[in-house]
């Protein structure tokens, strides 16, 4: 599962970060395979801005679950620093660290300037990725005779987070792919097919490996499942009309909000494409999606205002997947 350390209305950022660590403990108890944290800068509703720091806290608070990033946005950083950070993580928690890497940039021009980057930085991702991986294998050539300590010789598990074009970068580097249906399921499936065809075996992965990402909400009825998704969907809709992601608010507050036609249209759009419903409906839809995509894992990204309801939904999902003969192998 992926937790973005979303804040709730009236909640301080430190509370959200501590809640992420506690959520990781609960995920481990439920039998999930991986727990990832994300990178967002200067976003009002998100506390997770330093994923490697937060991943260290999560790994220290858990025992077995794999811990990683979903992801570190490589254009924001120097590859040697990322290599050193993951080298430290892998040294402290050997065999448990996932290095999820993305190519997204800051949300606004001001954030990008504060990070010392511009929109063109994303185009450098393939070269940055090659340099980063080279610090672990010891053969990076961008800066001859420079070695990342303690990264060299270690093997945290790398993943490329992609939409569209990014799948090709994962294939070229011989890395596992994490992908969501942001542009629709058909586009995602075409990207997965292209990734498998172009995949080059590497020291990191002998064969293609696909993780499909999405939100999943399980409840007694479709309406109750939709209510679990509503706070995140409203936050996304609000961002498109106001330019910022706000903290999550309750379903009751959203239902009572007088929305413009534009806001309501964005809200309805934000609610599309998620897997939701009863135990049987969710199990059937997940089975269908895994069948058509050939996915090796499913990354669950669901968040909602009520933390107790969120945990209950993840617990129910874990039970559903075990009962259906699958595993709770969600990153």
């Amino acid at each position: 599962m992926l937790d973005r350390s979303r804040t709730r209305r009236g909640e301080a950022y430190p509370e959200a970060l501590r809640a992420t660590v506690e959520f990781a403990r609960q995920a481990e108890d439920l039998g999930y395979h991986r727990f990832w944290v994300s990178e967002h800068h200067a976003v009002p509703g998100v506390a997770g801005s330093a994923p490697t720091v937060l991943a260290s806290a999560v790994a220290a608070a858990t025992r077995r679950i794999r811990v990683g990033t979903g992801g570190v946005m490589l254009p924001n950083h120097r590859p040697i620093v990322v290599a050193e950070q993951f080298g430290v993580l892998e040294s402290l928690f050997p065999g448990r660290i996932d290095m999820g890497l993305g190519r997204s940039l800051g949300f606004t021009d001001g954030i990008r300037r504060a990070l010392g980057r511009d929109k063109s930085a994303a185009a450098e991702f393939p070269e940055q990725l090659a340099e980063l991986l080279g610090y672990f294998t010891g053969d990076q050539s961008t800066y001859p005779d420079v070695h990342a300590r303690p990264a060299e010789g270690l093997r945290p598990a790398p993943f490329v987070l992609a939409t569209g074009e990014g799948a090709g970068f994962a294939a070229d580097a011989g890395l596992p792919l994490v992908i969501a249906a942001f542009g629709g399921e058909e586009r995602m499936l075409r990207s997965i097919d292209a990734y498998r065809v172009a995949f080059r075996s590497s020291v990191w992965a002998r064969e293609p490996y696909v993780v499909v990402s999405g939100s999943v909400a399980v409840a007694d009825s479709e309406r109750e499942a939709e209510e679990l998704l509503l706070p995140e969907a409203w936050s996304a809709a609000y961002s498109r009309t106001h330019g910022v992601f706000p903290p999550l608010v309750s379903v009751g507050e959203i239902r009572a909000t007088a929305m413009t036609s534009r806001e309501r249209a964005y809200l309805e759009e934000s609610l599309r494409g998620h897997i939701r419903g009863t135990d049987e409906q969710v199990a059937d839809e997940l089975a269908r999606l895994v069948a058509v995509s050939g996915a090796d894992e499913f990354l669950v990204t669901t968040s909602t205002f009520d933390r107790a309801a969120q945990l209950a939904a993840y617990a129910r999902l874990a039970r559903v997947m075990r009962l259906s003969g699958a595993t709770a192998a969600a990153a």
Side-chain angles (χ1 to χ4, degrees):
M1 64 173 66
L2 168 67
D3 187 72
R4 291 183 292 136
S5 303
R6 296 288 270 122
T7 60
R8 277 66 174 172
R9 174 71 62 81
E11 179 182 70
Y13 291 109
E15 292 179 66
L17 293 170
R18 288 192 290 268
T20 290
V21 175
E22 178 58 28
F23 195 28
R25 294 192 190 100
Q26 294 163 338
E28 182 172 72
D29 290 341
L30 290 172
Y32 283 88
H33 182 47
R34 307 181 196 274
F35 189 94
W36 287 1
V37 296
S38 63
E39 176 182 338
H40 295 274
H41 297 284
V43 178
V46 183
S49 57
T52 54
V53 177
L54 184 53
S56 182
V58 168
T62 53
R63 303 177 304 281
R64 300 177 306 276
I65 196 168
R66 293 194 64 91
V67 177
T69 55
V72 165
M73 297 301 141
L74 200 49
N76 292 336
H77 309 280
R78 300 298 300 179
I80 189 171
V81 175
V82 176
E84 290 169 342
Q85 290 172 345
F86 278 97
V88 170
L89 283 170
E90 180 65 21
S91 297
L92 294 174
F93 309 101
R96 292 181 57 204
I97 299 301
D98 296 331
M99 183 171 62
L101 305 163
R103 54 193 289 266
S104 295
L105 297 168
F107 192 56
T108 66
D109 288 338
I111 296 170
R112 290 190 289 273
R113 286 194 299 270
L115 291 168
R117 299 292 185 268
D118 57 35
K119 290 183 178 180
S120 66
E124 301 170 7
F125 182 80
E127 292 77 19
Q128 286 189 304
L129 181 60
E131 181 186 340
L132 170 62
L133 297 176
Y135 285 120
F136 290 97
T137 57
D139 58 5
Q140 73 83 23
S141 57
T142 306
Y143 300 99
D145 301 322
V146 175
H147 300 269
R149 313 292 187 198
E152 192 167 306
L154 299 181
R155 292 290 188 273
F159 295 78
V160 171
L161 282 62
T163 56
E165 182 183 2
F169 299 145
D172 288 343
L175 298 181
L177 170 70
V178 182
I179 189 166
F182 288 126
E185 185 176 304
E186 288 303 315
R187 179 183 175 188
M188 179 187 74
L189 294 177
R190 288 195 300 270
S191 294
I192 290 173
D193 288 343
Y195 161 75
R196 290 196 173 106
V197 170
F199 184 85
R200 300 177 180 178
S201 181
S202 71
V203 298
W204 302 99
R206 293 178 180 272
E207 298 177 347
Y209 194 91
V210 175
V211 180
V212 170
S213 173
S215 296
V216 182
V218 195
D220 288 333
S221 67
E222 288 186 68
R223 177 176 174 79
E224 289 176 303
E226 180 174 296
E227 290 197 338
L228 288 170
L229 298 170
L230 192 59
E232 187 72 60
W234 170 242
S235 182
Y238 188 94
S239 75
R240 296 180 68 178
T241 53
H242 295 79
V244 294
F245 279 91
L248 300 179
V249 298
S250 70
V251 171
E253 183 173 339
I254 296 167
R255 297 289 190 201
T257 298
M259 301 181 197
T260 65
S261 58
R262 187 162 171 252
E263 288 173 333
R264 189 165 296 281
Y266 281 139
L267 177 60
E268 291 173 359
E269 182 180 333
S270 295
L271 283 169
R272 295 191 194 112
H274 305 297
I275 297 174
R276 60 175 174 245
T278 63
D279 295 9
E280 183 176 344
Q281 289 172 317
V282 167
D284 288 348
E285 179 59 16
L286 279 171
R288 183 200 67 81
L289 184 56
V290 169
V292 298
S293 66
D296 298 282
E297 294 186 39
F298 193 92
L299 170 70
V300 187
T301 63
T302 310
S303 62
T304 193
F305 176 79
D306 186 328
R307 293 191 186 279
Q310 178 174 294
L311 176 61
Y314 272 97
R316 189 164 185 163
L317 177 60
R319 291 195 299 272
V320 165
M321 296 313 295
R322 283 195 287 270
L323 289 172
S324 68
T327 64

